[in-house]
Amino acid sequence: KQIVDERRPITYGIVQCGPDLGEGVPYVRPVDMTDEGGVDMGSIQFTSEEIATPYARSTLEEGDLVVSIGPSFGKVMCIPTELEGGNLTQGTARVAVDTNHHTDFFFWAMRSSPMNQQWESVAQGATFPALNLVPLWNSYVPVPPLEEQIEIAAYLRKETSIIDQITSAIANEIERLKEYRTALISAVVTGKIDVRGLA
């Protein structure tokens, strides 16, 4: 709570967004958030101005952090330009870091194992564990000097980008091998490859 902009406290979003209108005010649900800290823009839904206006307190700005607090709690993302002016559901919470701190550092800090362990220890609900706003407010997070926050965030961006590139290349190779496997099976079964006489 000590790193959050006092004018924009931690809050959840719209309780009932209504049916997806395909246009209007976009809102973020836990299901829209990726495990890698991004957002699936293809799954984003929209509500009307009339429904969103009473929830102006949870309006999003570019760079805000969003934490999933409902089902699959603990995911963290940073709001991109495309969602500026959008909103949230009650399964997500906005964390607007103040200007005395580096938002990107806290993006990484909130995705760390110690933070996840804190949240798991206070999550409530037997069937669908959820994180309430009070435990989120009271989460402990390291706060190094601002220059160090910037350096740490830059280092993590660089190193994780390399890992992501390697992961993507391996995933593409796996898909190619799966295609080859399918083609091989098809060729042998249909007789395009003659295996008679092979040991």
Side-chain angles (χ1 to χ4, degrees):
K1 59 188 173 184
Q2 294 175 345
I3 66 164
V4 173
D5 187 337
E6 292 181 355
R7 299 165 301 172
R8 306 177 66 229
I10 295 175
T11 184
Y12 59 83
I14 302 170
V15 176
Q16 293 184 329
C17 297
D20 179 22
L21 301 179
E23 59 181 5
V25 180
Y27 56 90
V28 178
R29 305 166 296 165
V31 70
D32 303 319
M33 304 169 67
T34 69
D35 292 332
E36 294 75 31
V39 58
D40 179 5
M41 291 301 298
S43 71
I44 289 291
Q45 296 189 353
F46 296 80
T47 190
S48 67
E49 291 282 355
E50 290 76 17
I51 291 177
T53 298
Y55 296 90
R57 58 174 168 72
S58 52
T59 299
L60 300 173
E61 294 182 7
E62 181 181 0
D64 284 345
L65 300 180
V66 172
V67 180
S68 63
I69 58 174
S72 67
F73 75 91
K75 292 191 284 186
V76 181
M77 64 166 284
C78 189
I79 292 298
T81 306
E82 297 89 334
L83 293 176
E84 172 98 29
N87 214 301
L88 305 166
T89 63
Q90 61 179 347
T92 50
R94 183 198 62 210
V95 179
V97 178
D98 67 27
T99 55
N100 297 319
H101 300 93
H102 188 57
T103 299
D104 204 27
F105 169 78
F106 292 101
F107 166 78
W108 293 106
M110 292 168 70
R111 296 182 63 208
S112 67
S113 294
M115 182 66 74
N116 191 258
Q117 290 167 6
Q118 285 186 63
W119 291 344
E120 286 183 348
S121 70
V122 295
Q124 298 178 346
T127 307
F128 299 106
L131 181 67
N132 293 327
L133 290 186
V134 172
L136 182 57
W137 266 103
N138 293 324
S139 299
Y140 285 93
V141 61
V143 187
L146 181 58
E147 289 186 5
E148 193 172 337
Q149 293 177 29
I150 295 171
E151 291 176 3
I152 291 171
Y155 173 81
L156 288 171
R157 282 286 175 196
K158 178 183 176 183
E159 294 301 314
T160 57
S161 175
I162 294 171
I163 294 171
D164 289 344
Q165 291 175 18
I166 295 171
T167 302
S168 178
I170 292 173
N172 290 337
E173 195 63 30
I174 289 172
E175 285 304 313
R176 286 177 55 191
L177 289 171
K178 285 180 178 178
E179 291 174 4
Y180 172 71
R181 180 177 184 273
T182 300
L184 177 63
I185 293 170
S186 177
V188 171
V189 170
T190 58
K192 293 179 179 178
I193 296 178
D194 189 352
V195 296
R196 288 174 296 180
L198 293 179

